[in-house]
Amino acid sequence: MEFTFGGKYKLEEEIGYGGCGSVFMGTHTIAGKEVAIKVESANAKHSMLKQESRIYKTLMGGPGVPWMMWSGKQGDYNVLIIDLLGPSLEDLFRICNKHFTLKTVLLLADQMLSLVEFIHSRDWVHRDIKPANFLMGPDVYSNSRPSSCDRVNVIDFGLAKKYTNTRTGEHIKNTQCDSHGVGTPLFASINTHKGEDCSRRDDLESLAYTLIYFLRGTLPWRKVKPPPDADKNPKLAWDKILTAKLAAEASGVITAGLPTEFDIFFRYVRGLAFEDLPDYEGCRKLFRDLAKTENFEYDGVFDWTVVGERVWRRSSQRRSVSGSGTGSERRHRFCEACAARAAMQTESQSLPLSRRS
Ligand SMILES: Nc1ncnc2c1ncn2[C@@H]1O[C@H](COP(=O)(O)OP(=O)(O)OP(=O)(O)O)[C@@H](O)[C@H]1O
């Protein structure tokens, strides 16, 4: 049986799933353009997908934000159709044996800071910044490397929230609630754990944890086991991780052994007040200066890039991804390329984490 959504997008195999529902590949029945179709039960008490589609409408067109082709309710489902992208940074991190070199992390940091800045410039906080919510894809705006796949894209706006008052445009006031944090405990900010509202600083703190995770291969609270009653009361698990985060912060272990710039960045975002406008450009400069010292080029060559192999090709159609084979084959080939690159990496290419104190 064949399912078609939005009148013209044929549903194909499942490519991902999450708390909200499933994500499938799909194809435009006439143009052949491949898309990602996110599907949620229409019976959901609180529709994350409706919220997500409202946010895509205000963000799409921004660099690194997938284009939304269609959203709506069809039968028993709420549906969102967006650009099909490549693997997530979490996928690639695993493929690269849970370690990214300093160069890759700095290349990612530059784009991720700009992405977060863009979301904030449209008055949203993402509230679930983590490696799984950044997907690689082609840069549809760049003519210099049309066939590359070196653009970081951000997805999953189901938890995003306005940090400004829609009527007055003023920053919302910080409200303390008794609930546990929002987002993903591993990457959530300390203030979020404490039940404070999220603002721009919290997305940046999650970004700091993400970058540190890439360099270290883990985070100090990664192995904290949930207490026995956490199923009934998730706050217990969140609180246990909060205790571990605070202890790690106090002991300085979070950034120990990493280049000083990561400690500066972490301390900077931890020091931001609820309504502060972060200095995104200053943060980018901090990391760019480090890249300069290390003689790294912003050349779009990541740990998983196999030089000379181009898996994604831009078609003449704007924002579309083309290439031979089905989309899943291409996704697979891209991952194979990453694996090959990871296997080629030698110890000497890896960042000596103890290089600086
Ligand atoms: N546009 C896309 N192109 C390719 N794969 C995608 C796309 N969107 C989502 N996916 C895949 O589906 C997975 C789940 O997507 P998403 O994070 O949007 O769902 P979710 O239900 O909100 O997840 P979570 O519970 O983690 O918040 C992603 O990790 C990714 O692997």
Side-chain angles (χ1 to χ4, degrees), residues 14-25 35-40 48-49 52 56 66-67 80-88 90-91 126 128 130-136 153-159 183-184 312 331:
E14 191 181 46
I15 53 171
Y17 60 89
C20 170
S22 290
V23 181
F24 297 84
M25 256 191 62
V35 294
I37 305 180
K38 195 168 173 181
V39 178
E40 162 199 81
M48 307 269 268
L49 230 50
E52 211 175 339
Y56 270 119
W67 193 257
L80 176 75
I81 303 181
I82 56 173
D83 280 330
L84 179 71
L85 299 163
S88 74
E90 184 64 47
D91 296 333
H126 185 282
D128 199 12
K130 60 177 178 180
N133 283 339
F134 290 93
L135 271 54
M136 296 308 294
N153 297 266
V154 62
I155 60 160
D156 196 2
F157 293 94
L159 292 175
T184 305
W312 293 79
R331 282 171 61 87

Side-chain angles (χ1 to χ4, degrees), residues 98-281:
K98 291 199 144 208
H99 176 252
F100 284 160
T101 58
L102 178 60
K103 180 191 168 187
T104 285
V105 175
L106 294 178
L107 259 61
L108 292 174
D110 202 63
Q111 290 199 41
M112 291 166 95
L113 275 163
S114 297
L115 268 175
V116 171
E117 180 180 12
F118 174 71
I119 296 166
H120 293 174
S121 75
R122 299 287 165 106
D123 292 351
W124 297 103
V125 273
H126 185 282
R127 302 206 302 172
D128 199 12
I129 294 292
K130 60 177 178 180
N133 283 339
F134 290 93
L135 271 54
M136 296 308 294
D139 190 345
V140 292
Y141 298 98
S142 162
N143 290 323
S144 56
R145 289 185 303 275
S147 59
S148 65
C149 185
D150 53 11
R151 155 66 62 189
V152 184
N153 297 266
V154 62
I155 60 160
D156 196 2
F157 293 94
L159 292 175
K161 189 182 167 187
K162 276 248 150 118
Y163 66 88
T164 54
N165 182 308
T166 324
R167 201 170 42 81
T168 63
E170 284 172 9
H171 199 293
I172 55 165
K173 297 288 166 226
N174 194 358
T175 50
Q176 182 82 35
C177 58
D178 201 23
S179 80
H180 58 73
V182 181
T184 305
L186 187 61
F187 298 98
S189 75
I190 288 175
N191 289 320
T192 302
H193 273 276
K194 290 179 177 166
E196 289 188 27
D197 247 334
C198 273
S199 68
R200 291 171 285 196
R201 63 178 181 179
D202 301 285
D203 277 352
L204 285 185
E205 189 177 327
S206 298
L207 179 58
Y209 295 141
T210 299
L211 300 176
I212 292 165
Y213 172 72
F214 287 155
L215 282 174
R216 304 191 76 94
T218 187
L219 286 167
W221 46 89
R222 176 88 179 85
K223 293 214 165 129
V224 170
K225 292 221 161 44
D229 281 347
D231 277 356
K232 287 183 213 126
N233 183 2
K235 189 172 187 312
L236 295 176
W238 279 85
D239 284 350
K240 209 170 161 194
I241 296 172
L242 170 62
T243 308
K245 275 185 190 171
L246 288 171
E249 184 183 37
S251 70
V253 76
I254 300 177
T255 53
L258 300 182
T260 334
E261 286 75 1
F262 290 89
D263 189 55
I264 295 171
F265 179 55
F266 175 63
R267 282 170 195 266
Y268 169 70
V269 296
R270 280 288 291 138
L272 287 170
F274 182 69
E275 296 187 24
D276 278 352
L277 168 67
D279 179 5
Y280 308 95
E281 184 50 30

